[in-house]
Amino acid sequence: QVQLVESGGGLVQAGGSLRLSCVASGSIFRISAMSWYRQVPGKQRELVASITPIGSTNYADSVKGRFTISRDNAKNSLYLQMNSLKPEDTAVYYCNANFLRNYWGQGTQVTVSS
């Protein structure tokens, strides 16, 4: 069983920065594609950024140049550095691991005030 625990969310003013973290239990982290998703009420969960086991990254157009996804396989940890935050980045952010199936964390709230 894989458990994902996110942290680092909070309230920040527009233009500010936050760093989200996700710690994974279990032994599959190093061989899993990892992603950050976000969701606002009434809308579908959307992919923000993803990173392969060897470090190749992919970003949603809306966050390119502002967000950076990274991973530390030795610490079973995934990160999302979010800079130049905008009010439209407000959402619950979820950590996702994909290996044979999807695993999800409980989510962490990010609120960006204008």
Side-chain angles (χ1 to χ4, degrees), residues 62-68 81-86 89:
S62 59
V63 307
K64 280 181 181 176
R66 300 188 298 122
F67 290 10
T68 303
Q81 178 66 43
M82 305 186 294
N83 298 328
S84 302
L85 282 161
K86 304 176 181 180
D89 294 318

Side-chain angles (χ1 to χ4, degrees), residues 11-53:
L11 173 63
V12 64
Q13 287 188 331
S17 299
L18 283 174
R19 188 189 194 214
L20 304 184
S21 299
C22 171
V23 178
S25 65
S27 59
I28 70 166
F29 180 85
R30 300 183 184 193
I31 55 176
S32 296
M34 300 296 299
S35 301
W36 287 99
Y37 284 75
R38 66 187 181 188
Q39 189 171 24
V40 297
K43 292 190 176 181
Q44 286 190 328
R45 195 170 293 188
E46 66 171 357
L47 177 66
V48 175
S50 60
I51 185 167
T52 68

